[in-house]
Amino acid sequence: QVQLVESGGGLVQAGGSLRLSCEASGRTFSSYAMGWFRRAPGKEREFVTAIRGNGVSTSYADSVKGRFTISRDNAKNTVYLQMSSLKPEDTAVYYCAADQSILTFLRRPLYVEVWGQGTLVSVSF
């Protein structure tokens, strides 16, 4: 099983950009679908985006389509979340996650196998 460590969170002004990284341990990274969730203050955790192990197929929540881009570098065991045109409502703790199937992210998010510790993104007005 992989272990995940996120980085790249911070404070940014509305309209700005930020890139999150998630580095995974282990030699089976490419066999995992990877994704990002977020939990805003006072709200439940929600799905943001996911990507298949081969990097070909991706899925996004409607709230971030056209603004966020997920990508991965299997040679570096790393998945990225490029966030642009950030809004105050994007403020949240962002969690990297891994599962053998991208369908788990989409249909059964509570059952995703592996979670990172989270990184805080704060977007100011």
Side-chain angles (χ1 to χ4, degrees), residues 41-85:
K43 296 187 178 181
E44 294 187 355
R45 187 169 57 194
E46 65 175 356
F47 169 78
V48 176
T49 180
I51 186 169
R52 288 188 189 274
N54 60 12
V56 173
S57 180
T58 58
S59 182
Y60 294 90
D62 288 343
S63 58
V64 305
K65 279 182 182 176
R67 300 188 300 121
F68 290 12
T69 302
I70 189 171
S71 62
R72 65 189 296 159
D73 185 339
N74 286 344
K76 295 182 178 180
N77 279 15
T78 302
V79 63
Y80 304 97
L81 180 62
Q82 179 66 48
M83 303 183 292
S84 302
S85 301

